[in-house]
């Protein structure tokens, strides 16, 4: 791991909800173009960690460094940073009161002050990529779950982020819809070389895209292992047990 | 005692005046209440220092005391210290004072009802606090608050019946006055009930349609 | 002397009488609420049944009490009932009747709303273990609805208490009527007495209603928090 | 005890039973009488919570002579007819002026007071002629003879209140140029309000105040007529005047202005 | 398929929601001890069909025969039959206002009028089987999703049904919780010889327990094939495509 191109580093991160200590001394970095899969049992703190990286949760201690600069965790700073750090959630979180296109353009036009034409051109290119160009004037309610989730990804990409965070984006989809969404993320990783951190319960998918796996349990990083190796020969027994439990 | 249509007919012009007055006072009061409520809920939403605490106190005082006592205060007690408004003004001020807090609660309830994921999603695409409010929280929150606002509108119109205690000749006062002069309670109370029905039934149907429209516009269901 | 007007409260038995009036108010509100809430629950349950005529009648009942202002209801019941129906009740009982029927109407809507918002799968899993209709209500729907409807019910209670201020219009010696007597009897001696008398009535209502509203709000907030995870 | 509502034992509504109403009242042991609660010195509640006044003394006397207890129901002017008609009370003793309109809906017994409408206004800006009221606001109470009288005079804007408390407060707050009501109350009221004067002492017809019973209630009406005659003969009303009214009136009022003497 | 021991037969079942025709001429039977897996893409009508079998949905045409007797579809009849036909849903549908034990005892005590002691003995035996005896006095909110779903199964079993219906009972569970629940159903099929109809998206699980597969699409039964054969060599192309889409 070459220090030079680290896009994000996390050092000694600690996070509690009231009395509950949920993240313990988290340390890791992610380099440009790298894909990190964040795995671990339910409740181990994956969502909490990824939300800290986007300023959606406050943390008590530790430092984040983004593109070589330490992040001062103020609301104002985070608002700026979020244009560089895109995030997609489990729920199909499109704004129901806006059309697909307006959902996508909101960030580029209002936050980044791009001209509507310019932003629209980008948006349509992305919509073409995910095969949903024809829905640009539809409302979210007219789309299936899988389609909504693909639009949500486009919406995050439209800001042209340097790092993407995905939190179980297929968890609430019908099984048949899952593949379409995962394909897009895979393309993004492989063709566009996007840097990303992915939380998922789809082991086959993780195996396919992860350059590195962070295995979390009880808020601690139990192991950080290159992707291939993790799935063939995890270093800890706990990870082994976890992998076994994931296929019936 | 039966019902005399003649008595009813003769009373209609007087009742019509009462009805018009009821409508006017309600209209002004409701518009005022919506404005006050919106301002208050915005002050609370953005947690504007000092003002938002003042708003909290106002909301509690206004919601937890009867309009009748508020009106007595405005009309009979305040002038003792030199603040004097005419009855209609007292009525309107009272209605706005009461309705403002109800409307504020309605708006605030709507804003708070916007789901947490929607707010976080907005943040995640880099929206500022103001933009988040403008593009996500307000449009959706407003749609969520319409049912409460509609209920408040109906409630406030009915509350104008209390204006009778400060001598405003609205519908209820008209009926009570006629009863006192001509002793035909059956007829006058019947006209009174019909009078309120004429205002409230069409209005509540209209509001239900509006609720559905707004809801569909915002959420598609 | 403006500020000395407060002494009107301590003249003779004035303060005690005001509290006596308040007690009348509370008594009427309490009895009406107990009766109204019970009846409201029953009507609310009935309104979730499939029987269309029944639902229509109950809806009509609700809409009548929704449309007619309470002042008018009081006059209707006080003056018209005895003459048209031969039922003659003293003012306090008319007041209780009107408030109970009104409470029941509003409550029936709250209960109905809560019952239909118990998740559909709760109803279905009740059916799936063979519960009959009454058992379903008794063991599954009503207990869950109670939790959902509590804040709205408390708000209804505060509204009923506030609305008792209208009792003065039908010869009930409630706190406001007593207040008027005090103002009139002491008006010459204490020109600013009116401020203090209405002031203390204002405070009395606030002191009763505020804790209830606070409680309702707190429960609502907790429920929202739970719903948001 | 005092200041309470009507009796609970009354649920029959028809007055045309075989049994005479007087008998029924005696059997019941209480007579329900409608009175004012905020009109010193006629019917009001003093600071100790007791109902007192000219009408109340009469009411207690009536009850005593009937051999029953009195239950008082506090009414406002505009409820007096309905209180009788909906059988909330047996008798009204609330400064009820006899008018032709009212005679059609209730039965009046023999009168016990004289009255006419008067108008009170600020000494600094007194109203002494009805014509001065044109285009001005005049305060009245709903259901009073004053309201009735001025409703028929065009050009006067009436501000109508439910209770006496409200109307006098409104005058003090300057909500109208003047207030019209029975002159008998106005005399009493100005005694303690040195800034005001009864600028018009009497307007409209001279009228009488009498007890009222429900229309058709012959037996109680007859009894009451006899009672009033007897009390008049016994100078009861002079005593009542001296104890209840005199302290409230200025020197300009004589007993013969108010009460009916034999 | 021997007629003799058919526990449930469905003949010419038709079902519409208002204008939408969702089940077309459904015909099948299930014999005592048999396990039928109901598979098919999302929206194909699986839930609708299984809910018809329990009287939770009305159907427009067709007959159901249970234990040789034709079912007259009145509310009263269904209420009786539901004691013989248990059902478990996707949502963790325990009654939140009752303890675990009271959830289980409600049916036996109130519906079947068993004595509380007797019912409790059965309940505790079942709780032991699913390894949750220690939670009998807990409230549902204190349990994880997987635990709740196991209790829901116990609750249905406590009525001693002759036929069990499972509708995607693991669909809303965390991946690690899935196995525990599926194990219980597998035991039930294999050790207790319970007759059951199972809707699931877990293909490995279906493969393991299904004696027969009903493949549904657009409200029609496209094929009825013995379990092994279906997974190795489905008869229709549609089923083949479906099986392929199910693993990433
Ligand atoms: N808002 C909150 N308040 C208190 N505790 C919380 C909150 N959110 C999460 N937790 C706790 O923090 C821990 C980590 O939760 P988190 O959601 O990050 O887990 P996860 O690994 O994402 O699990 P899953 O795979 O189920 O999504 C859990 O024990 C959870 O109960
Ligand atoms: N209450 C309803 N009203 C109208 N249409 C309905 C209703 N419930 C289901 N449908 C429709 O019936 C069809 C079958 O739905 P069903 O839920 O049975 O499918 P499914 O196979 O269980 O799907 P899944 O795998 O997503 O659970 C779908 O097209 C659905 O839209
Ligand atoms: Mg998570
Ligand atoms: Mg389904």
């Amino acid at each position: 791991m070459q220090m030079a191109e680290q896009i994000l580093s996390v050092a000694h991160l600690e996070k509690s909800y009231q009395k509950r200590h949920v993240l313990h001394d988290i340390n890791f970095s992610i380099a440009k173009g790298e894909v990190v899969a964040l795995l671990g049992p339910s409740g181990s703190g994956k969502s909490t960690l990824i939300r800290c990286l986007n300023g959606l949760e406050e943390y008590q201690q530790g430092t984040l460094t983004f593109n070589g600069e330490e992040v001062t965790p103020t609301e104002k700073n985070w608002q700026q940073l979020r244009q560089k750090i895109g995030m997609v959630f489990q729920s199909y979180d499109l704004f129901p009161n806006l059309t697909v296109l307006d959902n996508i353009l909101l960030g580029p036009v209002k936050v980044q002050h791009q001209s509507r034409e310019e932003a629209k051109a980008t948006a349509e290119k992305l919509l073409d990529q995910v095969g949903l160009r024809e829905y640009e004037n539809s409302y979210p309610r007219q789309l299936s779950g899988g389609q909504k989730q693909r639009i949500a990804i486009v919406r995050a990409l439209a800001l042209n982020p340097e790092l993407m965070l995905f939190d179980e984006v297929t968890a609430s989809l019908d099984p048949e819809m899952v593949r379409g969404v995962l394909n897009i993320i895979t393309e993004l990783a492989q063709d566009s070389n996007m840097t990303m951190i992915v939380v998922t319960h789809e082991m086959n998918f993780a195996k396919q895209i992860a350059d590195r796996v962070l295995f979390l349990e009880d808020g601690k990083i139990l192991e950080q292992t290159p992707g291939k190796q993790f799935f063939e020969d995890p270093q800890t027994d706990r990870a082994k047990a976890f992998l076994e439990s994931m296929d019936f | 005692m039966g019902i005399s249509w003649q008595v009813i007919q003769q009373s209609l012009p007087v009742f019509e005046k009462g009805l018009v007055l009821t409508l006017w006072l309600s209209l002004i009061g409701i518009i005022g209440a919506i404005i006050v409520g919106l301002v208050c809920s915005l002050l609370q939403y953005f947690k504007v220092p000092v003002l938002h605490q003042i708003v909290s106190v106002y909301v509690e005082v206004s919601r937890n005391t009867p309009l009748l006592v508020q009106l007595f205060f405005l009309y009979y007690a305040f002038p003792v210290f030199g603040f004097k408004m005419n009855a209609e003004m007292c009525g309107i001020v009272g209605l706005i004072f009461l309705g403002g807090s109800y409307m504020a609660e309605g708006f605030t309830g709507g804003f708070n009802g916007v789901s947490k994921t929607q707010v976080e999603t907005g943040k995640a695409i880099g929206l500022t606090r103001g933009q988040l409010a403008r593009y996500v929280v307000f449009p959706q929150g407003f749609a969520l608050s319409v049912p409460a606002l509609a209920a408040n509108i109906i409630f406030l119109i009915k509350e104008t019946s209390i204006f009778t205690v400060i001598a405003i000749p609205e519908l209820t006062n008209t009926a009570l006055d006629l009863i006192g002069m001509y002793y035909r309670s059956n007829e006058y109370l019947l006209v009174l009930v019909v009078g309120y029905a004429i205002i409230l039934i069409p209005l509540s149907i209209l509001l239900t349609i509006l609720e559905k429209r707004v809801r569909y516009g915002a959420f598609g269901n | 002397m403006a500020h000395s007007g407060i002494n009107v409260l301590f003249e003779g038995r004035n303060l005690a009488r005001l509290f006596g009036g308040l007690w009348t108010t509370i008594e009427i509100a309490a009895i009406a609420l107990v009766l109204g809430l019970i009846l409201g629950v029953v009507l609310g349950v009935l309104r979730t049944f499939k029987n269309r005529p029944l639902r229509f009648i109950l809806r009509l009942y609700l809409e009548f009490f929704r449309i007619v202002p309470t002042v008018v209801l009081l006059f209707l019941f006080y003056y018209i009932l005895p003459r048209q129906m031969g039922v003659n009740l003293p003012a306090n009982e008319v007041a209780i009747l009107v408030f109970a029927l009104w409470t029941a109407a509003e409550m029936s809507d709250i209960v109905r709303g809560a019952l239909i918002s118990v998740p559909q799968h709760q109803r279905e899993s009740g059916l799936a273990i063979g519960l009959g209709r009454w058992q379903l209500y008794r063991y599954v729907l009503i207990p869950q609805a109670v939790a959902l409807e509590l804040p709205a019910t408390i708000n209804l209670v505060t509204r009923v208490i506030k609305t008792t201020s209208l009792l003065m219009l039908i010869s009930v010696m409630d706190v406001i009527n007593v207040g008027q007597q005090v103002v009139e009897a002491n008006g010459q001696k204490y020109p600013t007495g009116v401020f203090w008398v209405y002031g203390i009535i204002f405070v009395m209502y606030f002191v009763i209603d505020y804790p209830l509203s606070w409680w309702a709000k707190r429960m609502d907030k907790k429920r929202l928090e739970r719903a948001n995870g | 005890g005092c200041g309470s509502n009507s009796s609970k034992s009354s649920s029959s509504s028809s007055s045309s039973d075989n049994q005479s109403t007087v008998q029924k009242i005696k059997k019941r042991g209480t007579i329900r009488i409608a009175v004012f609660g905020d009109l010193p010195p006629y019917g009001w509640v003093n600071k100790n919570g007791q109902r007192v006044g000219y009408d109340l003394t009469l009411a207690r006397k009536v009850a005593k002579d009937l051999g029953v207890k009195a239950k008082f129901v506090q009414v406002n002017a505009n409820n007096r007819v309905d209180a009788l008609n909906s059988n909330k009370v047996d008798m009204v003793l609330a400064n009820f002026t006899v008018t032709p309109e009212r005679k059609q809906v209730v039965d009046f017994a023999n009168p016990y007071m004289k009255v006419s409408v008067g108008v009170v206004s600020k000494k600094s800006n007194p109203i002494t002629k009805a014509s001065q009221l044109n285009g001005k606001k005049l305060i009245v109470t709903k259901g009073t003879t004053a309201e009735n009288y001025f409703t028929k005079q065009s050009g006067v804007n009436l501000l109508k209140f439910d209770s006496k408390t409200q109307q006098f407060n409104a005058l003090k707050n300057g909500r109208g140029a003047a207030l019209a009501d029975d002159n008998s109350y106005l005399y009493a009221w100005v005694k303690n309000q040195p800034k005001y004067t009864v600028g018009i002492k009497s307007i409209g017809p001279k009228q009488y105040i009498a007890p009222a019973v429900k229309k058709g209630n012959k037996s109680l009406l007859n009894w009451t007529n006899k009672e009033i005659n007897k009390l008049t003969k016994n100078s009861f009303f002079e005593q009542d005047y001296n104890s209840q009214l005199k302290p409230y009136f200025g020197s300009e009022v004589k007993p013969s202005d108010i009460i009916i003497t034999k």
Side-chain angles (χ1 to χ4, degrees), chain B residues 3 5 8 11-12 15-16 18-19 22-23 157 171-172 175 185-203, chain C residues 63-64 67-69 72-73 76:
Chain B
I3 293 228
W5 292 109
I8 290 181
S11 71
L12 287 183
F15 268 110
E16 198 187 307
L19 184 95
T22 291
L23 281 173
I157 293 176
L171 268 180
T172 301
S185 324
N186 287 6
E187 287 83 356
Y188 299 138
L189 286 176
L190 176 69
V191 179
L192 180 59
V193 170
V194 170
Y196 281 108
I198 288 175
I199 303 177
L200 293 174
I201 292 177
L203 184 69
Chain C
E63 293 301 334
F64 177 77
I67 283 172
V68 182
V72 180
L73 288 175
L76 273 179

Side-chain angles (χ1 to χ4, degrees), chain B residues 9-153:
Chain B
Q9 242 170 26
Q10 282 167 355
S11 71
L12 287 183
V14 192
F15 268 110
E16 198 187 307
K17 274 193 205 147
L19 184 95
V20 170
L21 190 59
T22 291
L23 281 173
W24 263 116
L25 296 178
S26 303
L27 185 71
I28 299 170
I30 287 165
I31 291 174
I34 289 178
I35 294 171
V36 169
L38 190 59
V39 169
C40 288
S41 62
L42 291 180
L43 292 175
Q44 283 189 312
Y45 180 80
F46 288 110
K47 295 223 160 52
V48 178
V50 187
L51 288 180
H52 108 260
Q53 277 98 343
I54 293 176
V55 167
S56 303
V57 172
Y58 154 65
V59 166
E60 295 306 338
V61 170
S62 146
R63 277 177 62 88
N64 290 303
T65 49
L67 177 62
L68 186 138
V69 181
Q70 294 170 2
L71 290 177
F72 270 16
F73 230 85
L74 279 172
Y75 194 75
Y76 297 116
F78 272 29
V80 171
F81 298 104
F83 303 107
K84 200 176 95 184
M85 292 177 285
N86 69 24
E88 277 80 2
M89 202 57 202
C90 283
I92 290 170
V93 169
L95 204 60
I96 294 177
F97 179 80
L98 177 80
S101 67
Y102 274 80
M103 294 294 181
E105 296 272 284
F107 282 118
T108 302
F111 297 159
N112 290 340
V114 175
S115 78
K116 213 174 121 197
T117 42
Q118 285 284 315
V119 174
E120 290 188 342
T121 307
K123 282 187 188 170
I125 59 171
L127 296 180
T128 61
R129 219 173 134 59
Q131 288 172 330
L132 199 59
R134 162 87 178 71
Y135 297 108
V136 180
V137 177
F138 292 164
Q140 293 184 38
F142 178 72
L144 291 175
S145 62
V146 169
L149 302 187
N152 290 345
I153 287 173

